[in-house]
Amino acid sequence: MTQLMTSGNQTMVTEFLFSMFPDLHEGGLLFFIPLLLIYVFIITGNLMIFIVVQLDVALHTPMYFFISVLSFLEIWYTMTSIPKMLSCLISEKKTIPLAGCLMQMYFFHSLGITEGCVLTSMAIDRYIAICHPLHYPTIMTPKLCIQLTAGSCLCGFFLVLPEITWIATLPFCGSNQIRQIFCDFTPVLSLACTDTSLVIIVDVIHAVEILCTFLVIALSYIQIIVVILGMPSPEGRQKAFFTCNTHIAVFLLFFVSVAVMYLRFSATYSVFWDTTFAVTFVILAPFLNPIIYSLRNKDMKDAIGRVFHYQKIVSVPWK
């Protein structure tokens, strides 16, 4: 039952209801089982990548360091939303407290922004490796990699904080039904019983964040492709392209879905398309990441074979 609190002449909402999830007897189990399997694969796949990169000395390079960081972030990114989705699919109680909703929004978007910054760092890494190979060892040092990762985390966890703080001050009354599969800015703000015209500022902030990140990554890969196409050796072109094609795939999957979802300003989509776009970057992108970075990556597959065949591994500094 929805919890309400009376304040003056208004009944304040203290928890929200996810109205998009079917009841268990209405087919919830049909969605629960595949989603659970996908979630287990996401956690085990990304955890395996993270562990293998830490243990195998052949992967102690900046590129694989960023891949391990991305895998680590994916684990926590999916933990902010998918467990609650699973609970809503099999439980009669499909509600979330206001404080829990704010926490879910904060960590979901903080980790998402951090991932975007890490993808930017990965693009810069590939740009230096391919376009300035002679300077690569002196530029992409372990210290710089750690600094870029720390900066990504600071960006992610501080940029979204003012937005969440503002939403926490808003009164919510009347309808408490969130027409989305997780707590997100637009569906939550639509339930506030006060003027939320400041949401345009939120939209602009999102747009600037996404576009700046997109431009840096896109320009890096455009320059990389130009350099690769100019290589005289077909074998050299193939090898160079192989080192960044997985990053381009992840970049396109992540940013296209995010851009469609958040670069719309006042435009509205149907509930079906809103849910479809949300599923793409909440579930599909994290699901494909382990496949892209392990099953399609020969170095990673070789390292997984070495680690899980219990070969002796000695930790050494990055090359």
Side-chain angles (χ1 to χ4, degrees):
M1 181 177 292
T2 302
Q3 294 183 4
L4 302 171
M5 180 178 63
T6 302
S7 177
N9 296 326
Q10 291 184 324
T11 302
M12 308 304 294
V13 173
T14 59
E15 65 179 21
F16 297 112
L17 172 68
F18 291 109
S19 61
M20 296 296 297
F21 295 98
D23 292 328
L24 188 62
H25 63 276
E26 294 176 343
L29 193 61
L30 296 176
F31 293 98
F32 174 83
I33 293 174
L35 181 58
L36 177 61
L37 294 175
I38 289 172
Y39 183 54
V40 170
F41 176 80
I42 290 171
I43 297 298
T44 55
N46 283 295
L47 187 60
M48 178 181 65
I49 290 172
F50 180 77
I51 292 172
V52 167
V53 171
Q54 304 309 307
L55 294 180
D56 195 281
V57 297
L59 302 184
H60 286 188
T61 63
M63 182 178 78
Y64 286 105
F65 170 79
F66 288 124
I67 288 176
S68 71
V69 171
L70 188 65
S71 295
F72 182 77
L73 291 171
E74 287 283 30
I75 294 172
W76 294 101
Y77 177 74
T78 53
M79 285 179 65
T80 64
S81 55
I82 295 182
K84 185 61 181 177
M85 295 179 198
L86 292 168
S87 173
C88 288
L89 286 170
I90 60 172
S91 172
E92 292 185 4
K93 185 178 175 63
K94 304 181 189 299
T95 57
I96 185 171
L98 174 59
C101 189
L102 292 171
M103 290 289 286
Q104 187 183 64
M105 278 195 294
Y106 174 68
F107 284 106
F108 179 82
H109 284 280
S110 293
L111 289 163
I113 293 171
T114 303
E115 282 194 23
C117 293
V118 171
L119 287 171
T120 306
S121 299
M122 292 168 72
I124 294 171
D125 170 70
R126 291 299 85 204
Y127 168 77
I128 297 172
I130 294 173
C131 300
H132 303 283
L134 297 179
H135 300 288
Y136 182 75
T138 57
I139 296 176
M140 294 305 298
T141 61
K143 181 179 179 181
L144 179 61
C145 292
I146 292 171
Q147 289 174 338
L148 288 171
T149 302
S152 298
C153 293
L154 288 174
C155 272
F157 284 88
F158 280 101
L159 280 176
V160 78
L161 193 57
E163 199 169 343
I164 296 296
T165 304
W166 169 60
I167 295 175
T169 65
L170 300 177
F172 294 91
C173 55
S175 174
N176 73 323
Q177 295 190 18
I178 295 179
R179 299 181 65 81
Q180 186 52 279
I181 57 177
F182 68 102
C183 287
D184 202 5
F185 294 125
T186 300
V188 170
L189 285 171
S190 68
L191 302 178
C193 52
T194 186
D195 179 25
T196 58
S197 57
L198 284 176
V199 72
I200 188 64
I201 298 177
V202 174
D203 288 338
V204 170
I205 293 172
H206 284 315
V208 171
E209 292 169 357
I210 295 169
L211 288 174
C212 286
T213 306
F214 180 88
L215 285 174
V216 171
I217 296 176
L219 290 173
S220 297
Y221 284 126
I222 288 171
Q223 185 63 35
I224 287 170
I225 292 171
V226 170
V227 171
I228 291 174
L229 292 177
M231 290 180 176
S233 167
E235 293 79 9
R237 288 197 298 269
Q238 184 177 2
K239 183 178 179 181
F241 185 74
F242 176 77
T243 64
C244 63
N245 63 353
T246 53
H247 303 303
I248 295 175
V250 173
F251 159 63
L252 290 175
L253 179 65
F254 182 81
F255 277 97
V256 169
S257 57
V258 168
V260 170
M261 191 70 176
Y262 295 109
L263 295 182
R264 56 177 171 176
F265 294 95
S266 60
T268 58
Y269 304 137
S270 67
V271 174
F272 170 80
W273 285 113
D274 258 348
T275 306
T276 301
F277 295 138
V279 167
T280 300
F281 64 81
V282 175
I283 301 172
L284 184 60
F287 172 73
L288 291 177
N289 275 359
I291 298 174
I292 292 171
Y293 284 127
S294 59
L295 298 182
R296 295 190 67 252
N297 188 311
K298 184 180 183 300
D299 292 338
M300 185 66 73
K301 285 191 289 186
D302 291 343
I304 291 171
R306 288 191 294 269
V307 169
F308 289 97
H309 280 84
Y310 304 102
Q311 292 187 6
K312 186 177 179 181
I313 299 168
V314 182
S315 180
V316 298
W318 290 351
K319 297 176 182 178

